[in-house]
Amino acid sequence: MSFSQLTHLECGRCGAEHDSEQPQNLCKACGSPLLARYDLAAVRDSVSPGDFALRSPDLWRYHELLPVRSPQAVTTLGEGLTPLLPMARYGERIGLPRLLMKDEGLIPTGSFKARGAAVGVSRAAELGIERLAMPTNGNAGAAWALYGARAGLATTIVMPVDAPEITRRECVASGADLHLVDGLISDAGRIVGELIAASGGRVFDTSTLKEPYRIEGKKTMGIEIVEQLGWRMPDVILYPTGGGVGLIGIHKALNELRELGWISGPLPRLVAVQAEGCAPIVRAFEAGEQESRFWEGSRTVAFGINVPKPLGDFLILKALAETSGTAVTVTDGELLDELRQVAALEGTWVCPEGAAAFAAARKLRASGWIGADEQVVVLNTGAGLKYPATVPVDAPVLPVDGHLV
Ligand SMILES: *Cc1c(COP(=O)(O)O)cnc(C)c1O
Ligand SMILES: [Zn+2]
């Protein structure tokens, strides 16, 4: 029985096949992201849904549907199987009593980027890669630096100077080669691109969707949601969308599970949530376009979704179209306000990106796009603890002999 049933890589745009047994970046024919393909008949023959519950409580329980060939190559910090929490009180307040939160705040490195890093780093090491480089808005760089350290890989990380400070410290703690740029992730991307080109193949590019395995790690959120609901799908999933890897990954996972015959019926309506200050996907969706255009002057406190031109935009828009989903914006003011309400009503301090998805759930319920009886899952993609500045403190300081009465 094979640990992985990976067969090959396939271009997400033109379908060209690529060899999965050597390092690959974009499609050699058209420059689009590559997607991992599996022998699903072999998966179906070797495992059934009930088996997973008996396995390790992390994302590696789905190893047949992941690209790492050997269990010895797995680099793990215990990522995955995060809680799917009922949000009854807050849900009642916004008119969605069946609201659930998939809480990725409880994962190593404090954001769901750990899933992509665990699988991407493991596969890179298995393929003999020794040095990685990537641009990041913070969380991905932190996760790849820390998982890279665990796997013994060298990492070069380039991030905007105003990315969340904690992510910078995570890179330094891991011993990564960290550089800051006075610009956006797109500027960091150009700098990394030059390094890769000059390295003569010695540095591997792990930019978002420029290597095929990060998405495989992130797709496990979709499998987990289904497993946690007893091999059923919810009606709607809301996802704070930057590069869109998680949304593309969840869509890919649900299609694989449906092809396996482990779930049936229509897929959940997927919702791409963006900030009003950076909404290339929403703009393209509303115009009925199949690709996005670069969003000039992008700006939002939800740093993880500040991506002016996602490389996988066409895959995001396809996932929305195929699931009868939608795309919506929220303002920074709305998401910061929502963050406080979620914490005060549920005791969960979510990240600003997660708060954006909650604000979108409220809006879509108010507009009637989501019905009151629907089961809705909001992805909270990171821990609120990573963003202390979202909650200013103005508590009075008592004198040492002070009293409250
Ligand atoms: C990266 C990130 C996102 C966006 O993820 P994509 O898969 O790139 O769309 C959302 N939230 C947080 C906290 C992130 O770090
Ligand atoms: Zn192609």
Side-chain angles (χ1 to χ4, degrees), residues 196-246:
I196 300 293
S199 79
R202 278 176 301 108
V203 186
F204 186 65
D205 189 350
T206 60
S207 305
T208 305
L209 290 174
K210 284 194 186 166
E211 67 76 51
Y213 300 119
R214 185 198 293 211
I215 185 174
E216 295 305 293
K218 286 196 178 181
K219 86 177 178 188
T220 58
M221 291 186 293
I223 312 180
E224 285 179 20
I225 290 170
V226 167
E227 188 186 2
Q228 288 171 318
L229 291 175
W231 298 94
R232 272 199 325 97
M233 291 179 277
D235 296 303
V236 177
I237 299 177
L238 294 106
Y239 181 82
T241 304
V245 186

Side-chain angles (χ1 to χ4, degrees), residues 130-190:
E130 292 175 353
R131 177 169 278 279
L132 320 166
M134 67 192 295
T136 174
N137 270 335
N139 283 330
W144 283 73
L146 289 159
Y147 280 87
R150 184 146 171 102
L153 303 186
T155 49
T156 295
I157 308 292
V158 186
M159 69 170 74
V161 275
D162 49 357
E165 186 185 317
I166 187 73
T167 61
R168 201 181 300 174
R169 296 184 189 280
E170 290 175 278
C171 292
V172 173
S174 74
D177 170 35
L178 173 69
H179 302 268
L180 306 175
V181 56
D182 191 6
L184 295 175
I185 188 171
S186 40
D187 303 301
R190 178 191 55 75

Side-chain angles (χ1 to χ4, degrees), residues 115-336:
R115 292 180 188 267
V119 174
V121 163
S122 297
R123 185 64 177 151
E126 185 168 53
L127 292 174
I129 289 161
E130 292 175 353
R131 177 169 278 279
L132 320 166
M134 67 192 295
T136 174
N137 270 335
N139 283 330
W144 283 73
L146 289 159
Y147 280 87
R150 184 146 171 102
L153 303 186
T155 49
T156 295
I157 308 292
V158 186
M159 69 170 74
V161 275
D162 49 357
E165 186 185 317
I166 187 73
T167 61
R168 201 181 300 174
R169 296 184 189 280
E170 290 175 278
C171 292
V172 173
S174 74
D177 170 35
L178 173 69
H179 302 268
L180 306 175
V181 56
D182 191 6
L184 295 175
I185 188 171
S186 40
D187 303 301
R190 178 191 55 75
I191 293 167
V192 168
E194 286 171 7
L195 171 71
I196 300 293
S199 79
R202 278 176 301 108
V203 186
F204 186 65
D205 189 350
T206 60
S207 305
T208 305
L209 290 174
K210 284 194 186 166
E211 67 76 51
Y213 300 119
R214 185 198 293 211
I215 185 174
E216 295 305 293
K218 286 196 178 181
K219 86 177 178 188
T220 58
M221 291 186 293
I223 312 180
E224 285 179 20
I225 290 170
V226 167
E227 188 186 2
Q228 288 171 318
L229 291 175
W231 298 94
R232 272 199 325 97
M233 291 179 277
D235 296 303
V236 177
I237 299 177
L238 294 106
Y239 181 82
T241 304
V245 186
L247 188 124
I248 298 165
I250 289 171
H251 185 232
K252 182 173 187 285
L254 296 174
N255 275 323
E256 287 171 355
L257 296 180
R258 198 159 61 170
E259 210 173 315
L260 281 162
W262 294 351
I263 51 176
S264 58
L267 299 189
R269 294 168 357 250
L270 299 178
V271 181
V273 180
Q274 299 207 292
E276 202 164 270
C278 181
I281 295 298
V282 178
R283 182 169 64 187
F285 179 83
E286 286 176 351
E289 288 160 1
Q290 271 147 39
E291 280 176 35
S292 66
R293 279 174 293 118
F294 190 92
W295 189 277
E296 297 292 341
S298 71
R299 213 187 135 75
T300 169
V301 293
F303 225 77
I305 55 175
N306 189 348
V307 180
K309 170 72 173 101
L311 186 61
D313 51 5
F314 69 103
L315 294 171
I316 303 171
L317 290 160
K318 199 166 133 210
L320 302 183
E322 285 181 8
T323 63
S324 308
T326 192
V328 288
T329 60
V330 303
T331 66
D332 279 3
E334 285 169 337
L335 73 89
L336 288 171

Side-chain angles (χ1 to χ4, degrees), residues 94-96 235-236 269 271 324 326 328 359-374 376:
I94 67 167
L96 290 171
D235 296 303
V236 177
R269 294 168 357 250
V271 181
S324 308
T326 192
V328 288
R362 179 196 291 273
K363 280 191 171 178
L364 290 174
R365 175 69 198 100
S367 74
W369 193 87
I370 303 179
D373 55 348
E374 293 198 282
V376 177

